[in-house]
Amino acid sequence: MKTKLLDAAQQWQLLDENGRVPASPSYTDLLQHAVDAQALSHNVVQLTADFARTPHSTNRVGRAVLARLAMASTMSSHAVPCFAETAETALALSRAATPIIKQYPANSMVIEHATARAYLRRASESLRDASKELDGHLDFHRFFPARQLPPARSGPASHGSDRGR
């Protein structure tokens, strides 16, 4: 999941190879970014909800992992409307009459798209951190297995007068 988010953040480009907004950015392509971001976000939120339902989310490490998953859910969810607004602006840009009138929406579109990609990167980072936290916890338990408690005594309870015998 973290790789998918990071790949999307890196691959979904708005600017051309010269670093400029295309003369007529594709509304369909930009809207597809929003659709794909929605699917990724849904998966992250579902992962977070599934982990929250486990008993592992109640211990110290589990709460830390859950906090990172919650951050990933929030960040991935914020990306969706930013991508949708980018697509909406591209549609409005195609109706603008002059280059001067197009400049402000084009700049706005670049900022929104970059913001959406940044949200996906941060979501990926949060998932990476949650994974590291969980892996570290599991590695700790592999090297230091839980201490075995001595077997419970089945006879009558000891009394103070029994000591020393």
Side-chain angles (χ1 to χ4, degrees):
M1 181 63 55
K2 68 179 177 169
T3 304
K4 287 181 181 180
L5 289 166
L6 189 57
D7 287 347
Q10 292 173 348
Q11 293 173 4
W12 296 346
Q13 299 290 324
L14 171 65
L15 303 179
D16 64 16
E17 60 276 350
N18 298 321
R20 298 188 184 274
V21 175
S24 55
S26 171
Y27 171 76
T28 306
D29 291 346
L30 293 172
L31 189 59
Q32 189 62 47
H33 292 176
V35 169
D36 293 343
Q38 180 74 36
L40 288 170
S41 178
H42 173 77
N43 291 339
V44 173
V45 171
Q46 188 63 54
L47 174 71
T48 304
D50 290 346
F51 185 79
R53 287 186 200 102
T54 69
H56 304 293
S57 67
T58 60
N59 64 32
R60 182 189 60 78
V61 172
R63 285 189 303 272
V65 169
L66 187 58
R68 295 193 188 279
L69 291 174
M71 177 64 77
S73 293
T74 301
M75 292 295 114
S76 65
S77 295
H78 284 322
V80 177
C82 292
F83 280 126
E85 190 169 328
T86 301
E88 181 183 356
T89 303
L91 193 59
L93 196 61
S94 68
R95 296 187 310 247
T98 67
I100 300 291
I101 294 173
K102 287 183 176 186
Q103 188 168 359
Y104 176 76
N107 291 342
S108 174
M109 191 169 58
V110 169
I111 292 168
E112 282 298 320
H113 198 270
T115 301
R117 292 174 62 217
Y119 280 132
L120 292 180
R121 276 191 305 278
R122 283 188 243 148
S124 176
E125 291 164 2
S126 291
L127 287 176
R128 179 201 62 211
D129 294 345
S131 177
K132 282 182 182 179
E133 185 101 27
L134 197 53
D135 285 344
H137 178 69
L138 294 175
D139 283 343
F140 175 80
H141 283 289
R142 281 185 205 115
F143 290 117
F144 300 104
R147 230 176 67 194
Q148 294 282 333
L149 294 177
R153 292 181 67 180
S154 59
S158 303
H159 297 291
S161 60
D162 291 343
R163 287 188 193 159
R165 288 190 184 176

